[in-house]
Amino acid sequence: MRRLATIDLGTNTVRLLVVEAEGESWRTLHESQHVTRLGEGQAAAGRLCEEPMSRTVAVVGGFVSAAERLGVSHVHIVATSAVREAPNGAEFAGRVKAATGRVVQILSGDDEARLTLLAVRRSLPQLPESFVLFDIGGGSTEFVLCRQGGTAAAASLRLGVVPLTEEFMDAGAVAWGRFALMRQRIEAQLAREVPEAIVSAGARDLVGTAGTVAALAALDLGLAAYDADRVHGHRLTRAAVEALLARLGALTLEERSRLPCLEPGRADVLIPGIAICLAAMERLGFHSLIVSDHGLREGILCEMLSLP
């Protein structure tokens, strides 16, 4: 047996997974996540800003130390949209290496989509041979058409919840006029950038992964605390998402942040995430989706273990 760790360094959240692996299987020893909002202010500044970089380096350093205390032999750190798009992304990756001694792999959008699909296929074996996967992130959203176990088409859009939150949201209840403008912008981008090969593929199911859809599943299930086992594989209808939008939109940011199953730092980005989710369902013609709690962290681990 060997102990491995993956760290997904995202635009909004840093996620750690530590496992004990043997052959093609693993047992989770520890997992953690922390909202550092690395992409805070990036849209306006055109680069990663100092304070978000500093707090993210500190969290990654703590995660690496935690993994090392558990006897991990290899820590694989990957960075996604915020780092790959920033002109100072390589500089930030160097700061992480200087602080932790670990190299940061900056993933392309295609690699991010491929690795996420790898995790979803392995963890939801009941999925049909043809489905569409979408992953709403802090700085980007990925769409993947899967056919017969492989990628038939993929697209990575510069569409994430962090810049949308900074532009359209405030601390009060949702201003529905501004929400409508945000939704229109999202719909226009999906119309331009999601390939027709995905839209008209006739896929049998839609799968969503990452923080937005996981939080919506937990709320739909009425969970008092987040439960990954119950969230994973939950079917979320468009009607349920629209009902949650109405419920959450009537709350202030402070009131949303007190909902028990939401991780700290999720409440402000959840409304833009819902807007992307509903627009994606409409664009692709689905009335429901299957939620995957497994995503990029698990996909990295699958690749480390060379799992198909």
Side-chain angles (χ1 to χ4, degrees):
M1 289 188 183
R2 53 180 174 151
R3 294 189 172 189
L4 305 169
T6 66
I7 296 176
D8 166 12
L9 207 169
T11 302
N12 190 57
T13 309
V14 181
R15 296 178 172 89
L16 167 69
L17 176 64
V18 181
V19 304
E20 190 169 63
E22 183 175 19
E24 295 188 351
S25 62
W26 71 74
R27 178 175 65 91
T28 299
L29 298 176
H30 176 72
E31 55 185 322
S32 185
Q33 58 187 41
H34 191 90
V35 172
T36 66
R37 193 86 26 113
L38 175 60
E40 182 178 68
Q42 183 176 2
R47 59 193 286 113
L48 297 174
C49 299
E50 178 57 36
E51 187 175 342
M53 285 196 292
S54 295
R55 64 180 178 243
T56 302
V57 169
V59 167
V60 175
F63 280 179
V64 170
S65 296
E68 290 173 344
R69 286 194 298 271
L70 288 169
V72 166
S73 60
H74 183 67
V75 181
H76 193 148
I77 305 174
V78 301
T80 56
S81 173
V83 180
R84 70 171 170 257
E85 292 167 8
N88 58 338
E91 173 192 332
F92 171 73
R95 287 175 60 170
V96 174
K97 183 180 178 182
T100 66
R102 308 284 178 162
V103 173
V104 177
Q105 179 187 5
I106 302 175
L107 294 178
S108 68
D110 286 346
D111 280 338
E112 185 177 352
R114 176 182 58 82
L115 290 166
T116 302
L117 177 60
L118 193 60
V120 168
R121 282 182 47 234
R122 185 181 187 276
S123 64
L124 292 171
Q126 76 275 22
L127 288 173
E129 288 192 353
S130 174
F131 65 90
V132 175
L133 168 69
F134 76 109
D135 178 354
I136 302 170
S140 67
T141 298
E142 281 69 45
F143 291 87
V144 186
L145 171 63
C146 179
R147 277 190 176 141
Q148 297 179 336
T151 300
S156 180
L157 282 58
R158 293 185 66 174
L159 175 66
V161 296
V162 171
L164 289 174
T165 298
E166 292 175 348
E167 182 173 357
F168 290 101
M169 304 301 296
D170 58 33
V174 170
W176 294 110
R178 290 189 61 76
F179 179 86
L181 290 175
M182 177 173 64
R183 177 74 181 266
Q184 288 167 12
R185 181 182 300 179
I186 293 166
E187 289 173 347
Q189 187 170 355
L190 295 187
R192 290 192 310 268
E193 299 180 20
V194 178
E196 191 62 29
I198 294 177
V199 175
S200 61
R204 291 178 53 201
D205 229 325
L206 179 65
V207 181
T209 186
T212 292
V213 294
L216 292 175
L219 289 165
D220 187 45
L221 288 162
L223 300 181
Y226 187 82
D227 184 337
D229 289 337
R230 292 190 63 189
V231 164
H232 191 61
H234 177 66
R235 185 169 288 278
L236 191 62
T237 67
R238 190 190 301 187
V241 177
E242 289 170 342
L244 286 168
L245 173 61
R247 172 189 163 195
L248 297 172
L251 304 177
T252 65
L253 175 57
E254 182 181 355
E255 290 167 338
R256 288 197 299 273
S257 68
R258 293 201 295 264
L259 294 169
C261 59
L262 293 187
E263 64 178 319
R266 177 63 53 189
D268 61 338
V269 298
L270 188 53
I271 299 297
I274 291 174
I276 297 174
C277 182
L278 287 172
M281 294 175 85
E282 182 174 329
R283 173 71 172 137
L284 297 170
F286 287 96
H287 294 284
S288 68
L289 63 90
I290 298 172
V291 177
S292 173
D293 179 73
H294 290 206
L296 184 56
R297 290 182 308 178
E298 291 80 7
I300 301 163
L301 186 58
C302 288
E303 186 162 78
M304 291 169 72
L305 297 173
S306 298
L307 301 182

